[in-house]
Amino acid sequence: MIKVGPMKLYVRTFGCQMNVHDSNRIVEMMQGEGYQSTTDVKEADLVVINTCSIREKAHHKGISEIGRLCKRVKRNKPDCVMVVAGCVSEQEGARIFKLAPQVDLVVGPDQIAQLPRWVRDARQDGRIAMTGFDRGTRADFLSTADRATPRGVSEFLTVSKGCEERCTYCIVPSVRGPERFRHPDDIIEEAVLLTENGVQELVLLGQKVNAYHYDGLTFAGLLERLDQLPGLQRLRFTSPHPRHMSPSLIESFGRLRTLCESIHLPVQSGADGTLARMGRRYTAGDYREVIGGLRRACPEILISTDLIVGFPGETEAEFEQTIGLLEEVRFCGAFSFKFSPRPGTAAANLPDDVTEADKARRLEIVHNVIERVEREIRHDLVGKRFEVLVTGSGRNAGQLTGRARNNQIINFQPAKGATLNQAPGSLHQVEVTGVMPHSLEGIPVADEAQSG
Ligand code: SAH
Ligand code: SF4
Ligand code: F3S
């Protein structure tokens, strides 16, 4: 059969923002090779499954998706190239061919820049597994390839890759490699390219993003430089580590024009014993101090976090300390997980001694506290006004949706006859009128509506 029209690319992404970013770059790169994106896997000529290995469940989900997609695709289209990318690839390497014999190409996170070449080679020569880490030279960072691709309102911008923190539970250092910082000129150049293409918000990416430093430039210094970009409206970053929350970084909140009033600052546990066993290198007291500093610098800041329950040796008393911290700090949202032993990590050698029943019970208690506190915080926002950056249409007809600077999703309906700029990227002052399970409802404050 002779193929007419462009080759089709289907990408399925698991895991964190770094994988989302990498998948976006994959799409861009392959579009440069003449591929067109599709949401229908059955018509794909190239399938990329970008995997995550952070917990056992994520790992298994990736592996079973590989099997499922291979089955769906290869039966009708044996020539379709099946690629497994991301952290499971780095961890498993060529073993993936044993788990899923129909996979053609395995690429670790640091090999993605060469993807077009590996795909061509795999089409000709069959199975290839490319893993291992680069040295982090200027060419090794996956940056936005071109000015032609239409951009979203908000885009990711990589400032570092890898991690050497070696929190005892975490597989990231072994699947993402050593910590490498990107040259600041390259960060600024990409930021300029993006903002000149209409991007209003940048989200800086790094596993320990606030550990960034380069030739004397600190992370706070980098934020200050980005803050001066004329086209930029909003700046965020993920994920910061509490022990790198320097006084100058804390003080940047509430001072820098673009730095938003929200932070996701993973705490993991509220008990010093657990934190020490996790290798987090801060105490619950240190964490409380950082939070105090952030709230003094920026009283309206909303703070979210990550938590692990049932870490080896976590006693009931230690767990209670975590609950105490949740009640005291009052996070607006948290991702909480049961401890999952990961191969090759220090914690995998500790006895996984909290029973499954206790892990499940503790997770539920954490969920309930987080949900209640988050609901209370969001109810307190009713009647307040926020600047909303429109990202698209809301669920109901005529409704717009977007985010406030504190990262809350707000849906609002322009008043009848009002001529609001409805385009993604426009800014509006909105008064919050109601609380929905995952968003807020609001009305535009007509007189102050901005054209964006
Ligand atoms: N680099 C980020 C987070 C990386 S992983 C940081 O340092 O904060 C995202 C979250 O997954 C972590 O914050 C942690 O809460 C959770 N996590 C990581 N490894 C885990 C494991 N082995 N078991 C359970 N949760 C884990
Ligand atoms: Fe993992 Fe810790 Fe590095 Fe975060 S800082 S990626 S939790 S090792
Ligand atoms: Fe998962 Fe890799 Fe991110 S393990 S959380 S996709 S760095």
Side-chain angles (χ1 to χ4, degrees), residues 54-55 169 207 239 266 268 306 308 337-338 340 342:
I54 197 76
R55 288 167 293 274
Y169 51 82
Q207 284 296 350
S239 279
Q268 314 300 0
D306 286 349
I308 298 175
F337 312 98
K338 292 183 209 165
S340 164
R342 306 305 295 127

Side-chain angles (χ1 to χ4, degrees), residues 15-310:
C16 65
Q17 289 98 330
M18 266 147 239
N19 264 15
V20 174
H21 168 270
D22 291 351
S23 288
N24 291 345
R25 300 290 82 81
I26 288 172
V27 170
E28 246 168 56
M29 269 189 293
M30 298 319 292
Q31 279 172 347
E33 298 282 302
Y35 284 82
Q36 224 175 50
S37 286
T38 178
T39 50
D40 179 5
V41 71
K42 290 199 292 307
E43 63 169 23
D45 303 284
L46 174 63
V47 172
V48 179
I49 306 146
N50 203 0
T51 56
C52 171
S53 186
I54 197 76
R55 288 167 293 274
E56 203 178 357
K57 240 192 196 160
H59 188 99
H60 286 318
K61 230 164 133 186
I63 301 278
S64 69
E65 186 69 357
I66 295 165
R68 193 182 73 87
L69 291 180
C70 279
K71 238 190 235 155
R72 284 195 75 184
V73 174
K74 286 274 189 174
R75 199 181 304 139
N76 300 324
K77 272 195 153 191
D79 291 345
C80 173
V81 173
M82 296 292 304
V83 182
V84 180
C87 296
V88 173
S89 292
E90 194 61 46
Q91 192 189 333
E92 300 288 344
R95 278 195 302 261
I96 290 183
F97 298 133
K98 287 213 181 91
L99 297 169
Q102 288 179 310
V103 169
D104 299 288
L105 179 57
V106 171
V107 279
D110 273 10
Q111 303 292 327
I112 288 172
Q114 308 291 329
L115 189 67
R117 186 170 131 207
W118 306 140
V119 169
R120 280 194 296 270
D121 289 356
R123 274 200 199 282
Q124 283 188 353
D125 310 330
R127 287 174 174 177
I128 311 174
M130 299 303 302
T131 54
F133 305 114
D134 59 51
R135 305 227 312 273
T137 64
R138 293 177 74 159
D140 290 332
F141 281 88
L142 268 182
S143 84
T144 34
D146 62 85
R147 289 180 174 268
T149 311
R151 302 289 164 191
V153 170
S154 174
E155 292 280 347
F156 294 122
L157 177 55
T158 304
V159 305
S160 63
K161 50 184 186 173
C163 184
E164 281 164 37
E165 191 71 14
R166 298 207 174 269
C167 300
T168 57
Y169 51 82
C170 184
I171 200 162
V172 169
S174 66
V175 291
R176 289 270 166 171
E179 190 169 43
R180 288 143 294 168
F181 299 116
R182 191 173 180 195
H183 196 291
D185 290 351
D186 297 344
I187 298 173
I188 301 289
E189 186 183 312
E190 190 174 348
V192 168
L193 183 148
L194 291 169
T195 50
E196 283 181 358
N197 277 267
V199 173
Q200 311 263 18
E201 174 179 286
L202 291 174
V203 184
L204 307 185
L205 280 187
Q207 284 296 350
K208 234 173 45 179
V209 70
N210 54 340
Y212 179 87
H213 59 91
Y214 204 106
D215 280 351
L217 180 70
T218 62
F219 186 63
L222 179 68
L223 295 184
E224 185 125 20
R225 281 184 66 179
L226 290 163
D227 189 56
Q228 285 154 22
L229 289 182
L232 186 65
Q233 293 288 350
R234 294 179 176 190
L235 192 54
R236 304 182 191 276
F237 55 81
T238 191
S239 279
H241 190 291
R243 82 183 180 92
H244 292 281
M245 292 300 295
S246 66
S248 63
L249 175 56
I250 291 172
E251 178 267 333
S252 306
F253 284 89
R255 186 173 69 80
L256 296 185
R257 172 185 66 91
T258 57
L259 190 58
C260 288
E261 293 78 27
S262 89
I263 187 169
H264 182 77
L265 189 60
V267 65
Q268 314 300 0
S269 165
D272 289 348
T274 314
L275 287 169
R277 291 195 301 285
M278 287 176 165
R280 290 292 285 180
R281 301 188 234 186
Y282 55 82
T283 63
D286 297 335
Y287 188 87
R288 285 182 168 91
E289 251 174 56
V290 170
I291 298 294
L294 285 167
R295 291 209 162 117
R296 276 191 299 278
C298 181
E300 62 275 41
I301 196 167
L302 293 186
I303 300 163
S304 55
T305 200
D306 286 349
L307 293 151
I308 298 175
V309 298

